[in-house]
Amino acid sequence: MHAPPINARALAQSGVEALRGGDARKARDLFDRIVAAGEADVSIFLALALACDGLKDDSAALAAADKALALEPQNLRALIIKADHMAALGDARAACALRYPSMYAAR
């Protein structure tokens, strides 16, 4: 039995609105539904990382950033999100290694 199709665009919009309204839990749930349906792109993984960050779930935020980077390895936002989380976890070397290409790409 197949799951019913989803409207990824509507879910994404609702997720962004939830993030803007400060409801990271709702946003994460909405973005997770898009991911589970196999309809996530880089922007969904970035939004999911932000939602997870709002929930203080560093491992999930890192995983979402990694998925964004798997799709778009030079994505500046994903590199910065990952670097910030690596620094917060105490891995300064990894944070610097990620920040350097980020700064170079921003030029």
Side-chain angles (χ1 to χ4, degrees), residues 41-81:
D41 60 11
V42 171
S43 66
I44 297 302
F45 286 119
L46 291 172
L48 178 59
L50 293 174
C52 292
D53 183 51
L55 295 169
K56 308 295 185 217
D57 187 343
D58 290 329
S59 62
L62 276 172
D66 282 337
K67 288 178 183 175
L69 289 168
L71 295 174
E72 203 174 292
Q74 297 302 316
N75 186 286
L76 184 59
R77 287 186 180 132
L79 287 168
I80 291 170
I81 290 169

Side-chain angles (χ1 to χ4, degrees), residues 11-36:
L11 289 175
Q13 182 62 37
S14 295
V16 169
E17 289 170 9
L19 272 178
R20 287 184 182 150
D23 191 348
R25 167 60 51 209
K26 180 178 180 182
R28 181 179 183 173
D29 291 344
L30 292 164
F31 297 133
D32 278 339
R33 286 178 58 194
I34 297 168
V35 171

